[in-house]
Amino acid sequence: MKFISIKCFNDENGQCIIFEAKATMKDCIKQQAVSDAQTKVLDEYEAIGSQCFIMVYFSGNDFHLIPWRT
């Protein structure tokens, strides 16, 4: 069984916010960095109205919050 590191928070309006954190020392990250299991969970949460994101850390303290689906 693989560990899925998805985090879930509720904002003050009860909106569920989901994010998966990734890190890379390169200047880009590929979609395949998100496992099939993580994709399934993100898709399921998005289908019920959650806000879903991938938070990516690039080297040099460079963080980006990327919407799961645009």
Side-chain angles (χ1 to χ4, degrees):
M1 181 170 163
K2 291 184 179 181
F3 177 73
I4 299 176
S5 59
I6 292 176
K7 306 298 182 215
C8 177
F9 298 94
N10 289 320
D11 69 11
E12 64 276 359
N13 298 316
Q15 173 72 50
C16 188
I17 303 166
I18 308 291
F19 71 89
E20 169 58 29
K22 297 293 179 188
T24 182
M25 300 312 269
K26 299 180 180 181
D27 61 356
C28 66
I29 193 163
K30 295 182 178 184
Q31 174 71 34
Q32 65 196 33
V34 179
S35 73
D36 290 341
Q38 292 164 333
T39 295
K40 181 179 181 218
V41 170
L42 288 163
D43 286 344
E44 288 174 355
Y45 272 100
E46 186 178 63
I48 61 170
S50 300
Q51 303 254 349
C52 300
F53 301 92
I54 304 297
M55 181 180 287
V56 182
Y57 166 78
F58 296 96
S59 61
N61 290 328
D62 190 14
F63 290 90
H64 293 270
L65 190 62
I66 303 165
W68 177 239
R69 301 284 185 215
T70 55

